[in-house]
Amino acid sequence: MSSANSTKMGSFSEKMGQIEDSATLSVMGKVKGLIAQGVDIINLTAGEPDFSPPQCVNDAAIKAVQNGMGRYTPSAGLIELRDIVAKSIRNEIGIEYQAENVVVCNGAKIAIVQALMAILNDGDEVLIPFPCWTSYPEMVKLAGGVPVMVACDENMLPDMSALDAACNKRTVAILINTPSNPTGVVFPKDFTRELGEWCLAKGLRIISDEMYCALTYNGIEHHSPLKLVPELQKTSAWIGGMSKSFAMTGWRMGFFAGPKDWAAIVGRIQSQLAGSPNAIAQQASMAGLSHGMAEREAMRLEFEKRSKLIAAGIDAIEGISCPEPQGAFYCFVDISSLIGLTDESGITINSGDDFSKVLLEVDKVATIGGSAFGATNHFRISFAASETELERALEKLSSRVSTLLTSGKN
Ligand SMILES: Cc1ncc(COP(=O)(O)O)c(C=O)c1O
């Protein structure tokens, strides 16, 4: 064998070499490892509820196993589940989907990747307002596209004039997320309509990630651009799933919903990539969507209490600030006024990542530094943790900030 061939045998895809590891999952993994070794850490990294799924979900899964239902299903998912998902989107979001518009996927993450694979040709551009969920740019790259990152405005909403400037003839889609991970911001109704109308005028598809749509607080309502600008339903896609609002992260159930032609291609891609979605989790999801709404609401109310606790706690700490979480279960904290300070830990705060590092190493409070979401001077707190843990974390956070402000030198 020639040396040229042996070099080829040892090499990997250049395209895949550009894909970053999920920053949030890697920090969460490290923190879970430290906790397993017995280190006492308050873990506020989690992008997952600390609750159990509704009882009917667990019961349905056990019954499905006992009844031998763990076989392949149709590749786009069981028609009964697709029907229930369509009905729930009709009732809760107001978009007139039928079963044929829906593809059940093994998590919303792969639903988004498959949606992108279905529409992108090499080099096509996708607008991504940031701060954003860490996976979006990598997903676009995985699907052969080019992510175009566009900074949000001071209210953490997509900046319309910046989007306008970034849009060109190679732009085919925009990836948006409301309620937002990591900012907790919910797009207001008028803004959502304006954004939808702009996309329609520009001929852009929207992939509207509404994963946290059932988790909004204090009377704030969720709005979908696909409902407010119905014409978009012909070309745009809606993404949701069971992970966050039903506490089913590990069950891997996400939903693509969109025009029938797009759904058919997503189904075909899935038939080759996954074969079919998890059969047992599909039975459990049908039970959850049909009978688990009261427990879903109980979890939302619990998150709402925590959102108030964490917002009030941060508000009381001079030197840091965050927009009040309106949805999802994250608080995105601005630490700009601590930049340049160094305290006894010896770490100089040059970014939200540095601050998050001090919190972990010195105070044993785990959070996610803002660079994972494209924001330098922020860090993310997940309030998917008990009130006791949140209170303990707030105390430590408060004393860390006051130490930095009083004794920190720059
Ligand atoms: C905004 C957003 N979309 C989608 C997902 C993916 O969810 P799933 O667990 O269904 O893959 C997440 C998970 O963190 C998320 O935060």
Side-chain angles (χ1 to χ4, degrees):
M1 189 183 289
S2 75
S3 60
N5 268 345
S6 46
T7 313
K8 256 190 193 166
M9 277 176 72
S11 71
F12 295 100
S13 150
E14 278 172 29
K15 201 166 153 190
M16 293 305 133
Q18 292 165 13
I19 305 297
E20 304 272 348
D21 195 12
S22 161
T24 47
L25 288 183
S26 91
V27 180
M28 282 181 219
K30 276 185 208 143
V31 171
K32 281 186 179 171
L34 288 170
I35 292 171
Q37 287 165 31
V39 184
D40 179 18
I41 294 178
I42 306 174
N43 186 4
L44 306 183
T45 60
E48 60 184 347
D50 53 327
F51 303 116
S52 300
Q55 189 59 44
C56 64
V57 166
N58 294 339
D59 292 345
I62 292 166
K63 202 163 138 211
V65 172
Q66 286 168 341
N67 291 344
M69 299 178 97
R71 296 182 181 270
Y72 292 139
T73 71
S75 51
L78 292 164
I79 194 72
E80 306 90 299
L81 175 56
R82 294 168 71 196
D83 198 39
I84 291 174
V85 171
K87 192 168 146 218
S88 113
I89 302 173
R90 284 201 301 275
N91 291 344
E92 299 205 342
I93 312 290
I95 311 173
E96 286 300 316
Y97 288 137
Q98 309 300 323
E100 296 71 25
N101 296 104
V102 174
V103 181
V104 178
C105 306
N106 289 303
K109 197 170 221 178
I110 191 70
I112 300 171
V113 176
Q114 292 179 156
L116 287 163
M117 288 171 81
I119 57 168
L120 294 183
N121 289 304
D122 278 354
D124 281 350
E125 295 186 2
V126 178
L127 302 176
I128 306 179
F130 72 95
C132 64
W133 184 35
T134 192
S135 293
Y136 288 156
E138 306 313 301
M139 288 168 155
V140 171
K141 287 190 235 161
L142 271 170
V146 179
V148 175
M149 309 306 290
V150 183
C152 283
D153 66 16
E154 65 284 3
N155 299 314
M156 296 282 181
L157 289 172
D159 183 326
M160 296 311 303
S161 46
L163 286 174
D164 213 50
C167 187
N168 62 59
K169 59 183 188 320
R170 290 179 304 276
T171 316
V172 298
I174 179 168
L175 195 36
I176 55 169
N177 173 220
T178 177
S180 157
N181 173 10
T183 64
V185 165
V186 174
F187 294 1
K189 188 171 185 181
D190 287 348
F191 173 79
T192 310
R193 184 180 289 112
E194 184 192 344
L195 179 62
E197 278 166 358
W198 178 80
C199 291
L200 193 63
K202 291 282 177 185
L204 295 187
R205 294 181 189 269
I206 302 181
I207 297 180
S208 187
D209 181 352
E210 301 179 24
M211 196 57 201
Y212 297 88
C213 59
L215 292 173
T216 60
Y217 313 121
N218 306 319
I220 301 274
E221 281 181 28
H222 167 75
H223 299 284
S224 175
L226 279 65
K227 151 89 167 101
L228 296 176
V229 186
E231 189 65 14
L232 285 169
Q233 292 170 27
K234 294 183 186 153
T235 51
S236 291
W238 182 93
I239 301 289
M242 303 301 286
S243 292
K244 313 292 178 173
S245 53
F246 283 89
M248 289 173 66
T249 46
W251 298 64
R252 312 309 303 128
M253 277 284 101
F255 309 128
F256 166 95
K260 289 181 187 165
D261 53 355
W262 196 349
I265 301 176
V266 169
R268 275 210 311 270
I269 295 171
Q270 178 154 287
S271 76
Q272 297 297 354
L273 284 182
S276 64
N278 180 316
I280 303 298
Q282 288 188 71
Q283 295 294 336
S285 301
M286 278 196 275
L289 289 167
S290 308
H291 310 294
M293 292 318 225
E295 282 167 85
R296 187 187 78 171
E297 176 60 7
M299 291 190 265
R300 188 196 68 79
L301 287 171
E302 200 51 43
F303 281 131
E304 185 170 72
K305 263 203 276 168
R306 295 169 181 185
S307 76
K308 286 183 186 148
L309 186 153
I310 196 92
I314 294 204
D315 201 41
I317 304 174
E318 209 173 311
I320 59 174
S321 62
C322 72
E324 187 172 336
Q326 301 169 323
F329 36 70
Y330 309 106
C331 199
F332 205 49
V333 189
D334 185 345
I335 56 100
S336 303
S337 60
L338 307 179
I339 294 294
L341 300 176
T342 313
D343 71 4
E344 84 281 358
S345 67
I347 303 174
T348 300
I349 309 297
N350 287 317
S351 63
D353 287 11
D354 291 333
F355 186 73
S356 184
K357 190 171 170 199
V358 176
L359 275 183
L360 179 60
E361 291 183 3
V362 187
D363 301 305
K364 302 286 180 274
V365 177
T367 58
I368 308 265
S371 68
F373 314 102
T376 326
N377 292 347
H378 288 74
F379 71 102
R380 188 191 79 176
I381 292 176
S382 158
F383 50 89
S386 72
E387 284 183 36
T388 318
E389 281 187 304
L390 292 174
E391 273 157 5
R392 273 179 63 213
L394 281 167
E395 263 172 43
K396 287 173 180 255
L397 183 56
S398 171
S399 74
R400 177 61 39 210
V401 173
S402 94
T403 309
L404 274 164
L405 287 173
T406 51
S407 63
K409 49 187 182 304
N410 56 9

